Amino acid sequence: MHVSLKTDGSITIFEEIKLRKEVAFMINGSCTKSDLENKYIFWDIDGTLAPYRFNDHVADPDRTNNGMSLEEIAEHIFLTRKPSQHMMKVVYSCGARRNFIMGHCQVQQEMDDKQLWLDKHFPIIRRQDRILTFENISKADSIVEYCAGHRIDLKDIVYVDDVIPFLREAERKGIKSYHISSFLDWDIVNKPLLEQPDSATDAFFNIHNG
């Protein structure tokens, strides 16, 4: 991709700096508040709103493809999980038109515990806006079906998850999708643009514009 923003005098130097930084954020994949404002946002839970590593492991000790064992679920271990403070700030400050949950669960008990966990940590997301399904159901299809049933245009949807195959499927079905890594620089990219450090954007445009 070649980007040329050399000014011809038609814009001020301050406008050019602002434009350079907006383009740089778009290219580097960071999500900004303007990407989320007035959108219907579907948030994953495990690995997105809460760290995936929990109870001293990443993978189910019983060697399934899940993060928790059935024994841990039966002991309601999820209720002791701490949310990501960073992502709480993102959810509460992003300016969404409406926030949703799009989560996968193994069994009904996990769904019930996640509802209680969300009640405590993310009450901004109402129970009627939480879609918790079993793992054999496509998240992308669930979002598409929900939007079709509620007359929501897919262009107004944003989906956030930590699982790349889910994001690829959603993107191919017309849903704007972000990996959780796009939120690592949330505090930086959402400062007023003219307060941003110039080093990263200067390096980018020096490479692309000679």
Side-chain angles (χ1 to χ4, degrees):
M1 172 184 258
H2 179 77
V3 178
S4 178
L5 289 177
K6 293 178 179 177
T7 182
D8 59 2
S10 59
I11 61 174
T12 69
I13 186 63
F14 296 105
E15 290 171 331
E16 183 184 5
I17 292 171
K18 182 174 182 289
L19 182 57
R20 283 173 179 258
K21 291 176 177 176
E22 287 174 338
V23 171
F25 293 149
M26 176 183 69
I27 292 171
N28 72 21
S30 291
C31 186
T32 68
K33 186 173 180 179
S34 62
D35 294 315
L36 303 183
E37 283 180 324
N38 296 314
K39 299 294 185 182
Y40 299 90
I41 309 175
F42 289 77
W43 304 94
D44 169 52
I45 302 175
D46 303 275
T48 300
L49 298 186
Y52 195 88
R53 182 177 178 84
F54 175 67
N55 206 24
D56 202 31
H57 61 77
V58 170
D60 175 3
D62 293 336
R63 299 189 176 185
T64 70
N65 291 325
N66 300 298
M68 291 190 294
S69 68
L70 291 175
E71 180 180 354
E72 287 175 319
I73 293 172
E75 293 172 352
H76 306 282
I77 196 73
F78 192 87
L79 294 177
T80 66
R81 177 171 287 189
K82 299 297 184 184
S84 163
Q85 295 298 310
H86 176 68
M87 290 309 297
M88 287 184 75
K89 179 165 53 177
V90 171
V91 172
Y92 278 85
S93 67
C94 68
R97 182 179 304 181
R98 196 161 156 192
N99 287 295
F100 294 84
I101 290 295
M102 183 63 258
H104 268 167
C105 300
Q106 297 183 63
V107 293
Q108 184 62 47
Q109 183 62 62
E110 184 179 357
M111 290 186 184
D112 295 342
D113 286 350
K114 285 184 174 178
Q115 289 282 17
L116 294 174
W117 186 87
L118 290 163
D119 287 344
K120 179 178 180 179
H121 298 293
F122 291 92
I124 191 175
I125 307 176
R126 305 174 303 172
R127 283 206 171 207
Q128 60 264 41
D129 295 335
R130 303 172 190 169
I131 304 173
L132 297 173
T133 68
F134 293 113
E135 294 172 333
N136 63 329
I137 299 174
S138 162
K139 287 188 175 183
D141 286 346
S142 296
I143 294 171
V144 170
E145 289 171 11
Y146 181 90
C147 292
H150 292 79
R151 298 182 179 180
I152 300 174
D153 195 317
L154 288 184
K155 70 178 177 59
D156 295 323
I157 299 299
V158 172
Y159 167 47
V160 183
D161 208 308
D162 63 315
V163 180
I164 294 296
F166 295 167
L167 295 167
R168 286 176 179 156
E169 180 189 0
E171 192 167 75
R172 289 165 183 162
K173 292 180 177 178
I175 300 168
K176 187 171 187 178
S177 302
Y178 285 96
H179 186 264
I180 185 62
S181 59
S182 289
F183 294 86
L184 292 174
D185 291 335
W186 180 261
D187 291 335
I188 297 172
V189 300
N190 288 295
K191 289 181 179 178
L193 282 168
L194 291 177
E195 294 180 13
Q196 298 291 341
D198 292 329
S199 55
T201 51
D202 285 351
F204 173 84
F205 284 103
N206 286 340
I207 290 170
H208 285 266
N209 290 331

